[in-house]
């Protein structure tokens, strides 16, 4: 997360509480927070929120050096009654030294009666040695410092809820637990996971002191009000004074952010974000909280807040914006009496607005030879129009006069096209307007597009774009796989890790050694599936909305074996090892192979691990991703993550709908929508899952992935927070695609306006098809998933999923030796006997259907085949021959669902028979 500077009153630090008296001025409570040391499962933003909350409770904030001195002094004087909260889940080396052991200062503090609360990653799994430098101690860390294994069940992941002791302590909320411990390892069990293991616990080191207190053994991306309540109750076991704090409340006005604005359009109005916090240790069920909005003493609106027996309330609230100088008042009504807790006077802008520029009708950038065109650039061809839409909102009352103005300037600064409009928006209501120009009116070239909204000759808003006009026509190839050249329209960002400096390069200058070819699979519905050098040849769906989405790749564990950064093919920015090639492209299907090495940021291949993936697509837009990894045995690998590519200058909030991920059961009986930020989706292990990714507010098509056996969510990526508020809905990084040399982003991404990025939504674990040893050093692991991209209703997608997960039996009646369903190809493989006619009978349940069946007729070398279903020619089908050195295979795709008891006949056509006779 972006660095947050501690202030006297900041996002979570919303009320000031005085320290209790301390012997010899040595604080009895400390919170460790140091921006010069790393974090792991807890994000920078959540770490800062936890820090601020602890400071508000009277804890002394300490960096790595200060906490060492404090711990040494408390240990020497007797640490009983002392409490340290770790706002970072990576212990600094100042507390544990260079190697795990019971002689660590941290352990001596516990032995002296001190207590620690530790959230996030496994205790002592990592040790921080600098801002980005951390050493992996793994299971040796907990064993060495605490005397027992703190890693727990490596594959453990389930819901956690307070245990009986935890309820006694006051714990109320649950979470998703990761790597819980056996109960026998701990002194007190505060929470249990679904397997009966300890998710929150204590380990006593000196009689009478709680000792080491473990909470929230998972990714901590948002420090919620519920977590604050539980933390106070747990901390009060060491510091009883926390149970008698005075009632306090505050309104916090967030700082302006370059990542995401404070005010947002809501219907015809505007709303702005604020944060309210209330500490009320004597809360009652009848307590009510409210935010009142006033202007010059006149009440305008009231926002009702959660009330009741909440010890701690913290909410980010959107309030309607009526006037730039309106007042907001936080109050509590308790026992029939209203008490004002805080009030704030706003000083917001008197004008809001924005532009959206597009060439219409929309053309997929891939069809114009581009990918991920930066937000500040617009491609325009003669058959399109330049569309300029704008909006504005003026707080207050009355009518206003606004002029919209667009100018197109050439390289010499001469205006070659100018458009104006006069408008009369009403204050207090959002106004929308538009300007347009024909593409044929702009000669080919590169221009500066200058956009302004003006009032009384004063510019209220100005934005600039590059306009690239081309005398071109979009590619229109129908279905198939094609080699092509796709370029990147903007400068390619280059990062030097040693110096931390940035430069840039022209796209073509980076690809002087070749040959280099990109691949596009084109579909009749306008969708495109792309292998592009800018994505390290990682394949992705390319939308006409100028975004993309990949299902990921095969990836090894972070920095395994001492390597640098992530170990995955995205690091191959030069495409040295990552290479795709077209295996086959016919009217019936397209097949593309992709081979890559698992490498780190410095191009080191991890233990000679490689992967091959084959993508097999059919004209209906559905296909199969088949992945094979060559791995070290007993090592962890990830194979699925839903990653949305976004152009430079775009925030994921601009692109993603709130319900970005949907999960459905194949029978349609259950579905789960995962919303962002704060995703919390659940799905049963060892069950099939159908994923639909709502990747764009402007594209009704949704990428699809079907797993025969879902295991668990590895992670659901929450957004970045800055100053206590979300500035992205999910993980957002700019180290990929296109950009070179930048390590994985661990904070809201720097330079996002100039660098394309990606939004990671969720990573999932699915059961492989098989595993087997290849040789003495490597094993083969194989997966297959049904994939697609469609705007079809759920019923069609689920029908496709069912026909792949549980295919109807198919038997050969005539001309076939063996029939089996091949999930890797989404088709029935039929070994033919050399006959000119093959007759097959589906033996599915009555009333069921088979979705768009595919037949793979081996040794059936006829190109002019005739196909019938139950005696009739299908309304839509294609049959095409694929040949290799050993055999001919006729691929038959039937473009309609058929009854599950159908008879299908494929017969050589007259031309085939005549050719055979002639030969």
């Amino acid at each position: 997360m972006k660095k947050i500077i501690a202030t006297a009153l900041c996002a979570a630090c919303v009320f000031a509480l005085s320290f209790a008296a301390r012997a010899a001025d040595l604080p009895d409570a400390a919170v460790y927070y140091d921006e010069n040391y790393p974090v792991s499962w807890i994000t920078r933003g959540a770490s800062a929120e936890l820090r601020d909350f602890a400071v508000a409770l009277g804890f002394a904030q300490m960096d790595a050096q200060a906490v060492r001195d404090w711990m040494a002094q408390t240990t020497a004087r007797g640490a009983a009654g002392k409490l340290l909260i770790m706002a970072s889940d990576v212990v600094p080396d100042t507390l544990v030294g260079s190697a795990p052991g019971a002689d660590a200062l941290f352990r001596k503090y516990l032995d002296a009666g001190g207590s620690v609360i530790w959230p996030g990653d496994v205790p002592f799994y990592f040790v921080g040695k600098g801002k980005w430098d951390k050493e992996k101690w793994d299971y040796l860390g907990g064993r060495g410092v605490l005397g027992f294994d703190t890693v727990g069940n490596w594959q453990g992941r389930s819901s956690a809820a307070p245990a009986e002791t935890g309820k006694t302590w006051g714990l109320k909320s649950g979470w998703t637990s990761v790597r819980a411990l056996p109960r026998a390892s701990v002194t007190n069990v505060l929470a249990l996971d679904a397997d009966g293991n300890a998710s929150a616990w204590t380990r006593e080191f000196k009689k009478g002191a709680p000792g080491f207190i473990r909470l929230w053994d998972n990714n901590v991306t948002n420090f919620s009000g519920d977590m604050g309540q539980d933390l106070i109750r747990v901390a009060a076991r060491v510091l009883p004074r926390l149970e008698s704090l005075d009632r306090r409340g505050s309104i916090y006005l967030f700082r302006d952010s370059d990542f995401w604005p404070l005010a947002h359009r809501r219907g015809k109005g505007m709303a702005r974000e604020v944060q309210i916090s209330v500490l009320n240790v004597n809360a009652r069920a009848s307590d009510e909280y409210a935010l009142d909005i006033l202007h010059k003493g006149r009440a305008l609106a009231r926002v009702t807040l959660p009330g009741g027996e909440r010890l701690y309330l913290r909410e980010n609230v959107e309030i309607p914006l009526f006037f730039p100088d309106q007042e907001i008042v936080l109050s509590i009504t308790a026992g029939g009496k209203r008490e004002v807790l805080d009030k704030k006077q706003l000083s917001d802008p008197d004008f809001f607005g924005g532009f959206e520029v597009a060439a219409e009708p929309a053309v997929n950038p891939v069809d114009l030879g581009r990918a991920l065109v930066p937000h500040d650039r617009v491609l325009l061809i003669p058959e399109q129009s330049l569309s300029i839409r704008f909006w504005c909102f003026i707080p207050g009352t009355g009518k206003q006069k606004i002029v919209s103005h667009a100018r197109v300037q050439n390289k010499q600064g001469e205006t070659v096209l100018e458009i104006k409009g006069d408008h009369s928006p009403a204050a207090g209501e959002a106004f929308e307007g538009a300007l347009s120009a024909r593409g044929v009116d702009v000669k080919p070239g590169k221009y500066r597009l200058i956009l302004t909204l003006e009032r009384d000759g004063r510019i209220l808003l100005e934005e600039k774009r590059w306009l690239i006009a081309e005398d071109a026509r979009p590619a229109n190839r129908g279905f198939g796989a094609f080699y092509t050249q796709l370029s990147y329209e903007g400068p390619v960002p280059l990062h030097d890790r040693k110096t931390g400096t940035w430069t840039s390069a022209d796209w073509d200058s980076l690809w002087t050694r070749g040959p280099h070819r990109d691949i596009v699979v084109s579909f009749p519905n306008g969708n495109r599936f792309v292998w592009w050098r800018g994505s390290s040849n990682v394949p992705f769906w390319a939308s006409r909305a100028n975004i993309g989405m990949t299902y990921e790749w095969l990836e090894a564990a972070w920095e395994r074996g001492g390597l640098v950064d992530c170990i995955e093919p995205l690091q191959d920015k030069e495409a040295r090892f990552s290479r795709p090639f077209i295996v086959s492209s016919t009217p019936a299907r397209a097949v593309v192979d992709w081979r890559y090495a698992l490498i780190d940021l410095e191009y080191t291949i991890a233990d000679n691990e490689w992967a091959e993936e084959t993508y097999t697509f059919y004209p209906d837009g559905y296909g199969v991703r088949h992945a094979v990894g060559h791995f070290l045995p007993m090592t962890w690998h990830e194979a699925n993550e839903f990653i949305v590519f976004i152009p430079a200058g775009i925030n994921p909030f601009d692109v993603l709908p709130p319900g970005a991920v949907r999960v459905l059961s194949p029978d349609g009986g259950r579905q789960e929508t995962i919303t962002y930020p704060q995703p919390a989706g659940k799905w049963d292990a060892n069950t099939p899952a159908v994923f639909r990714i709502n990747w764009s507010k402007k594209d009704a098509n949704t990428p699809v992935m079907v797993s025969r056996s879902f295991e668990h969510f590895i992670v659901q990526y929450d957004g970045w927070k800055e100053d206590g508020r979300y500035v992205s809905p999910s993980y957002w990084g700019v180290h990929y695609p296109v950009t070179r040399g930048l390590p994985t982003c661990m904070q809201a991404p720097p330079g996002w306006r100039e660098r394309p990025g990606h939004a990671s939504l969720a990573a999932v674990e699915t059961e492989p098809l098989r595993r087997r040893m290849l040789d003495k050093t490597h094993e083969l692991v194989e997966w297959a998933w049904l994939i697609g991209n469609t705007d079809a209703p759920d019923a069609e997608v689920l029908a496709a999923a069912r026909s792949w997960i549980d295919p109807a039996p198919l038997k050969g009646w005539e001309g076939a030796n063996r029939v089996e369903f091949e999930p890797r190809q989404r088709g029935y493989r039929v070994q033919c006997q050399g006959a000119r006619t093959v007759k097959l009978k589906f033996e599915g349940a009555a009333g069921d259907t088979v979705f768009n069946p595919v037949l793979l007729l081996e040794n059936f070398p006829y190109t002019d085949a005739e196909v019938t279903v139950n005696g009739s020619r299908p309304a839509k089908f294609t049959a095409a021959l694929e040949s290799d050195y050993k055999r001919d295979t006729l691929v038959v795709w039937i473009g309609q669902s058929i009854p599950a008891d159908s008879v299908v006949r494929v017969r050589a056509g007259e031309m085939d028979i005549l050719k055979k006779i002639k030969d």
Side-chain angles (χ1 to χ4, degrees):
M1 302 296 291
K2 189 169 182 176
K3 296 179 181 178
I4 299 176
I5 301 173
T7 59
L9 189 65
C10 48
C13 182
V14 293
F15 37 79
L17 300 172
S18 61
F19 283 106
R22 301 177 179 88
D25 295 323
L26 187 64
D28 62 354
V31 55
Y32 165 65
Y33 178 89
D34 194 328
E35 290 185 350
N36 292 314
Y37 275 75
V39 292
S40 183
W41 288 1
I42 185 169
T43 64
R44 288 282 182 194
S47 175
E49 290 176 330
L50 175 54
R51 178 272 318 270
D52 293 339
F53 180 73
V55 170
L57 293 179
F59 284 64
Q61 176 184 332
M62 297 184 182
D63 62 17
Q65 303 303 320
V67 75
R68 178 198 60 191
D69 297 341
W70 175 84
M71 189 172 279
Q73 293 180 55
T74 55
T75 300
R77 301 181 187 183
K82 303 296 189 296
L83 177 62
L84 171 66
I85 294 177
M86 295 289 292
S88 167
D89 53 353
V90 176
V91 68
D93 53 1
T94 58
L95 300 185
V96 292
S98 59
D103 59 345
L105 175 60
F106 199 109
R107 174 62 181 272
K108 293 177 180 179
Y109 166 78
L110 293 171
D111 289 338
S115 295
V116 176
I117 295 176
W118 184 303
D121 202 351
V122 172
F124 308 101
Y125 194 88
F126 290 109
V127 176
K129 295 179 176 296
K131 186 157 190 176
W132 302 115
D133 186 14
K134 58 186 177 185
E135 181 180 339
K136 184 178 178 181
W137 280 5
D138 207 301
Y139 65 90
L140 296 176
R143 288 184 184 181
V145 178
L146 298 184
F148 66 101
D149 191 345
T150 57
V151 172
N153 178 9
W154 182 263
Q155 297 296 328
R157 181 183 297 269
S158 63
S159 297
E164 289 306 313
T165 300
K167 293 176 183 177
T168 302
W169 281 38
L171 289 181
K172 295 185 180 298
S173 58
W175 61 91
T176 298
S177 171
V178 178
R179 302 176 190 171
L181 298 187
R183 284 180 282 183
S185 300
V186 303
T187 305
N188 292 301
V189 177
L190 304 182
L192 292 169
D193 72 358
D195 298 320
N197 294 316
S199 302
W201 44 268
T202 73
R203 178 67 177 252
E204 185 179 278
F205 289 84
K206 184 174 183 179
K207 189 173 181 59
F212 193 93
I213 305 169
R214 178 81 163 113
L215 291 177
W216 309 312
D217 59 343
N218 197 352
N219 296 317
V220 181
T221 59
N222 173 57
F223 185 73
S224 67
D226 289 341
M227 295 171 73
Q229 293 186 94
D230 284 351
L231 183 61
I232 292 174
R233 295 185 180 103
V234 171
R237 307 291 295 194
V238 182
L239 304 172
R241 62 181 173 79
L242 297 178
E243 296 178 337
S244 57
L245 296 172
D246 294 336
R247 181 165 64 201
R248 305 292 174 88
S250 181
I251 301 168
Y252 178 67
L253 303 181
F254 296 113
R255 300 192 303 268
D256 288 332
S257 170
D258 178 59
F259 295 103
W260 191 240
L262 295 175
H264 314 283
R265 292 179 63 185
R266 295 292 181 258
K268 292 185 177 181
M270 293 284 291
R272 69 104 74 203
E273 296 179 58
V274 300
Q275 185 179 86
I276 63 94
S277 297
V278 178
L279 176 67
N280 187 3
V281 296
N282 297 311
R284 292 174 293 183
S286 59
D287 291 351
E288 298 177 351
Y289 300 99
L291 268 181
D292 289 295
I293 304 167
L294 303 92
H295 185 248
K296 297 181 178 179
R298 181 168 64 94
L300 302 175
R302 167 170 285 197
V303 178
T304 302
L305 303 170
E309 295 181 273
R310 301 175 66 93
L311 185 151
Y312 176 62
L313 171 68
R314 186 171 68 87
E315 294 281 329
N316 287 12
V317 181
E318 287 191 354
I319 61 168
L321 188 59
F322 301 106
F323 295 90
D325 57 346
Q326 67 192 30
E327 185 182 34
I328 49 178
V329 178
L330 172 64
S331 66
I332 179 175
T333 301
K337 295 182 179 180
R338 179 175 179 267
E339 176 187 348
V340 173
L341 299 176
D342 194 19
K343 58 177 65 177
K344 286 289 188 298
Q345 185 85 34
L346 298 187
S347 180
D348 282 337
D350 61 2
F351 181 87
F352 299 87
F355 289 96
E356 183 175 352
V357 185
E360 296 180 346
V363 173
N364 197 315
V366 167
D367 295 345
L368 295 174
R370 312 297 210 289
L372 299 180
V373 179
H375 178 62
D376 67 350
R377 286 161 169 76
V378 182
L379 300 180
L380 182 68
I381 60 177
E383 65 187 55
Q384 294 177 305
S385 294
L386 179 63
S387 172
I388 303 168
R389 295 186 177 90
F390 67 88
W391 67 274
C392 64
F393 178 85
I394 304 170
T397 59
K399 286 281 188 180
Q400 304 285 334
K401 295 290 185 181
I402 298 295
V403 176
S404 57
H405 192 183
R407 289 173 292 153
V408 178
Q409 295 183 342
N410 60 21
K411 292 181 179 179
Q412 290 74 39
E414 300 167 338
T415 299
V416 300
L417 180 65
E418 188 170 16
I419 321 166
K420 282 189 175 184
D422 295 319
H423 317 279
S424 299
E429 292 185 7
F431 176 82
E432 295 181 347
L435 302 171
S436 65
R438 298 187 307 167
V440 294
D441 293 335
V442 183
K443 294 180 180 180
K446 185 174 183 179
Y447 301 90
R448 201 63 166 149
L449 177 61
I450 303 172
L451 310 167
T452 59
L453 293 178
E454 304 166 10
R455 180 175 59 191
D456 299 330
R458 181 170 68 95
I459 295 177
L460 302 172
L461 177 68
E462 181 178 65
E463 295 186 13
K464 296 181 179 180
R465 305 281 199 279
W466 290 107
L467 178 63
I468 297 97
E470 295 183 344
D471 186 11
R473 295 291 182 270
N476 184 11
R477 287 288 196 172
F479 173 71
F482 305 92
Y483 287 109
T484 189
Q485 294 279 334
L486 299 176
S487 65
Y488 181 67
E489 187 59 45
V492 176
L494 307 176
H495 181 256
D496 188 317
R497 289 176 54 223
K498 293 182 179 179
T499 64
T501 57
W502 285 91
T503 56
S504 64
D506 176 74
W507 172 261
D508 289 335
S509 71
L510 298 173
W511 304 102
T512 56
R513 299 177 183 178
H516 296 288
R517 294 184 295 183
D518 306 306
I519 294 175
V520 175
V521 180
S522 172
F523 295 90
N525 65 356
N527 288 323
R528 307 288 182 259
F529 196 75
V530 175
W531 283 258
W532 179 45
R533 288 160 290 155
S535 64
S536 307
N537 278 326
V538 171
F540 62 95
W541 290 107
S543 169
R544 61 174 59 90
N546 193 34
I547 61 171
M549 198 218 80
T550 180
Y551 302 103
E552 209 198 14
W553 44 79
L554 303 186
E555 172 183 352
W558 169 277
E559 296 187 341
R560 193 186 78 193
L563 298 188
V564 180
D565 203 66
C566 292
I567 303 171
E568 53 194 358
L570 77 74
Q571 306 282 22
D572 193 359
K573 304 298 177 64
E574 300 174 19
R576 297 184 195 174
F577 308 117
S578 177
R579 294 296 177 96
F581 56 93
I582 298 172
V583 176
S584 176
S585 181
T586 72
R589 72 174 181 179
V591 182
V592 179
D593 277 354
W594 172 42
R595 188 168 193 261
Y596 55 89
L598 276 66
I599 64 171
D600 73 350
L601 187 62
E602 297 181 343
Y603 263 98
T604 303
I605 300 177
D607 299 301
N608 200 28
E609 291 193 339
W610 290 76
E612 295 91 29
E613 300 196 18
T614 300
Y615 289 77
T616 304
F617 286 110
Y618 296 91
D620 54 17
Y622 295 93
V624 174
R625 175 192 172 205
H626 173 221
V628 178
H630 304 258
F631 301 145
L632 286 184
M634 303 300 291
T635 55
W636 178 89
H637 291 83
E638 183 177 282
N640 285 121
E641 185 176 317
F642 305 121
I643 304 173
V644 178
F645 297 163
I646 52 179
I650 293 292
N651 184 305
F653 269 129
D654 293 317
V655 173
L656 297 172
V661 178
R662 294 176 61 223
V663 196
L664 303 95
S665 59
D667 62 4
R670 183 189 171 198
Q671 66 173 290
E672 173 94 350
T673 299
I674 304 176
T675 58
Y676 294 78
Q678 299 183 33
K682 295 182 180 180
W683 200 255
D684 294 333
N686 306 313
T687 62
V690 181
F691 293 89
R692 296 197 77 167
I693 310 303
N694 298 316
W695 61 336
S696 172
K697 296 176 181 178
K698 297 180 180 180
D699 192 339
N701 290 284
T702 62
V704 172
M705 189 191 84
V706 180
S707 167
R708 290 184 166 205
S709 183
F710 169 88
E711 293 188 355
H712 62 262
F713 286 104
I714 298 171
V715 62
Q716 297 171 56
Y717 290 98
D718 201 5
W720 295 122
K721 298 184 84 173
E722 180 190 52
D723 193 29
R725 60 184 286 268
Y726 282 100
V727 295
S728 72
S730 66
Y731 175 89
W732 177 23
V734 296
H735 56 281
Y736 174 78
V738 178
T739 298
R740 297 188 178 191
L742 183 66
T744 300
C745 290
M746 294 300 184
Q747 60 185 25
W752 64 278
R753 296 186 186 277
E754 296 81 35
R755 298 161 197 161
H758 67 277
S760 291
L761 299 175
V764 300
E765 190 89 32
T766 61
E767 184 179 353
L769 283 179
R770 63 171 179 158
R771 293 177 181 268
R772 65 179 178 87
M773 289 300 298
L774 284 173
D775 49 40
K776 293 181 180 180
T777 60
H778 286 75
E779 68 171 345
L780 179 147
V781 187
E782 182 180 6
W783 292 266
W785 306 271
L786 182 72
I787 60 175
N789 190 11
T790 179
D791 62 357
D794 288 343
E796 178 189 297
V797 175
L798 297 182
R802 290 193 298 270
S803 291
W804 182 75
I805 292 172
D806 187 20
L810 180 66
K811 289 195 174 180
W813 273 14
E814 180 183 335
N817 284 333
R818 182 180 177 186
V819 180
E820 64 178 352
F821 184 77
E822 175 50 81
R824 299 166 185 82
Q825 300 184 63
R826 190 199 140 196
Y828 292 88
R829 189 165 60 191
V830 181
Q831 293 183 358
C832 300
Q833 299 171 335
R836 296 173 182 172
T837 299
V838 175
K839 201 171 185 180
L840 305 164
K841 174 70 167 64
F842 283 97
E843 297 185 339
D848 285 352
T849 59
V850 180
F851 177 82
N852 294 8
V854 173
L855 306 176
L856 311 172
L857 305 180
E858 297 179 353
N859 298 315
F860 194 81
Y862 302 108
T863 59
D864 187 31
E866 299 174 358
V867 180
T868 62
V869 177
N870 298 326
S872 300
R873 178 185 173 94
K876 184 188 296 184
F877 81 94
T878 58
L881 199 64
E882 292 181 349
S883 299
D884 60 23
Y885 191 66
K886 292 183 178 181
R887 68 167 64 90
D888 296 313
T889 299
L890 184 70
V891 179
V892 179
W893 169 79
I894 299 174
Q896 64 188 55
S897 293
I898 65 174
D901 57 355
S902 294
V903 175
V904 179
R905 187 183 70 173
V906 183
R907 184 177 64 179
E910 292 184 7
M911 296 298 295
D912 285 322
I913 295 173
L914 291 174
K915 183 177 183 300
K916 196 75 171 178
I917 294 172
K918 184 178 179 181
D919 293 342

